[in-house]
Amino acid sequence: MHLSSLSRFVPASASPLLLAAVLLASVMPSQAAVHRRHHHTVAHMRRVARHMQTGRTTAHATIPDVPLRHVASLPPLKGTYESLVRQNERNQAEGLQRIENDEQLDQLREEKLLVSLPVTDGLHVNPEMPQNRRYCRPWTARFLADLGRVHYERFHRSLQVNSAVRTVQYQRRLMAINGNAAPADGDVASPHLTGATIDIGKHGLTMSEIAWMRAYLLPLQSAGKIDVEEEFHQACFHITVYDSYAPMPLMSRPPVEVASAPQAPAARPRVVRASIHRVHRSSRHRRVHASLLAAARLR
């Protein structure tokens, strides 16, 4: 309120003290206004306290994940023609033959050259996969077990294996119904035919999990342990694992014969020597006794 407006309420002859009192009363809030403001502040603090208590009990639901655009992520691990040729060349160099039919597959299973896919808390198999296709090479199984364990420790979720070993016979049938299927022979045949390759499904994985998978797989590929092709039509990580990831144990060597040290001749037991001495003494006593008897007779 300006001083000019006070002239309508206060006489011009009023003292300066009266004018100051009127001006102070006009700018100070009323007691009721102060009470209302205090009540509003207390109510607001109570609401904040209740919200914080609720937030502590459900922090995982109220704190969102960091958006992926704010995290430096790797590009997709796309496959190439050269990569598929390399997978076939390395499998051939490792002595892996393409499995022609189910009979050969069963023989490899009996010889333990193919083992069951590991099933753990961090890894499960697509239930639609046929039972006789749930096998892979031993070093591939080791890779899957390691991948599933580390992923589960990070995300507390499991990965799914969508494909593993295939036969040439099966691959030819697959080519007839799937235009994206790799050939069953040639330089770019499907590496699944050797049992060293598996597909990890991407359906259901979060962007953070996919970024983590790329970061986990790329160093192994750079080290020559695996080859990765990230597929988008089938939405999976196609991974060929080489035996250098977990080489098979070497065959046990025959034991080396160690020449024994020459042994000293065994000492004659003392008891034997004592017995011999006793025998000698007895014989000597008998001879002496016989000599004494003879001398007595002569007398």
Side-chain angles (χ1 to χ4, degrees):
M1 182 178 294
H2 297 284
L3 292 175
S4 59
S5 62
L6 291 175
S7 60
R8 293 179 298 173
F9 306 100
V10 181
S13 59
S15 64
L17 292 177
L18 179 60
L19 291 175
V22 173
L23 179 60
L24 182 62
S26 64
V27 298
M28 289 182 63
S30 63
Q31 185 177 0
V34 172
H35 178 74
R36 286 195 302 269
R37 185 176 302 172
H38 174 74
H39 178 75
H40 175 75
T41 303
V42 172
H44 175 70
M45 293 178 65
R46 288 174 178 173
R47 287 194 298 270
V48 171
R50 287 196 299 268
H51 177 73
M52 291 178 65
Q53 292 176 356
T54 305
R56 283 196 297 268
T57 57
T58 60
H60 63 280
T62 58
I63 301 176
D65 293 335
V66 179
L68 189 62
R69 63 178 179 272
H70 294 158
V71 179
S73 60
L74 295 172
L77 304 175
K78 295 183 179 180
T80 61
Y81 178 86
E82 292 75 15
S83 172
L84 194 54
V85 171
R86 181 173 62 251
Q87 293 173 56
N88 279 270
E89 290 177 347
R90 290 204 52 179
N91 285 337
Q92 184 177 3
E94 292 177 359
L96 301 182
Q97 298 180 352
R98 295 166 188 167
I99 304 171
E100 294 292 334
N101 48 45
D102 290 344
E103 289 74 14
Q104 186 179 0
L105 188 150
D106 293 338
Q107 182 180 357
L108 293 174
R109 288 171 47 195
E110 293 178 359
E111 296 174 355
K112 306 300 182 183
L113 298 178
L114 288 175
V115 298
S116 300
L117 295 173
V119 177
T120 63
D121 292 337
L123 192 73
H124 68 275
V125 179
N126 189 332
E128 298 180 0
M129 187 186 303
Q131 291 293 333
N132 64 342
R133 298 288 183 269
R134 303 184 181 192
Y135 294 89
C136 64
R137 295 291 177 174
W139 53 88
T140 305
R142 172 69 177 274
F143 164 81
L144 284 173
D146 293 342
L147 174 63
R149 183 186 68 256
V150 178
H151 177 270
Y152 186 81
E153 291 175 355
R154 173 64 178 83
F155 295 99
H156 305 288
R157 287 156 50 88
S158 64
L159 298 171
Q160 176 173 288
V161 180
N162 286 339
S163 182
V165 65
R166 301 175 191 168
T167 63
V168 173
Q169 187 178 27
Y170 175 83
Q171 188 71 18
R172 288 173 179 164
R173 292 199 304 266
L174 189 62
M175 292 171 59
I177 60 176
N178 186 353
N180 294 319
D185 49 22
D187 295 337
V188 291
S190 172
H192 285 277
L193 304 179
T194 65
T197 303
I198 42 85
D199 291 344
I200 301 294
K202 294 199 301 183
H203 284 302
L205 298 183
T206 65
M207 295 301 295
S208 296
E209 287 177 290
I210 292 177
W212 181 90
M213 286 283 291
R214 294 169 182 168
Y216 183 87
L217 298 174
L218 182 58
L220 293 174
Q221 179 171 259
S222 300
K225 305 293 185 181
I226 64 173
D227 262 310
V228 186
E229 296 181 11
E230 188 173 345
E231 301 179 5
F232 293 88
H233 183 75
Q234 301 293 337
C236 69
F237 288 96
H238 166 100
I239 307 171
T240 295
V241 186
Y242 302 115
D243 65 355
S244 59
Y245 179 84
M248 297 289 288
L250 297 175
M251 295 181 62
S252 58
R253 298 178 180 179
V256 179
E257 295 184 359
V258 180
S260 57
Q263 297 180 357
R268 185 175 298 177
R270 292 182 179 179
V271 63
V272 174
R273 289 199 300 269
S275 300
I276 294 175
H277 292 327
R278 284 197 297 270
V279 171
H280 288 173
R281 286 197 298 269
S282 300
S283 301
R284 190 164 53 252
H285 291 164
R286 284 197 296 270
R287 288 197 298 271
V288 172
H289 183 66
S291 301
L292 294 175
L293 289 178
R297 293 193 189 99
L298 293 175
R299 290 177 185 174

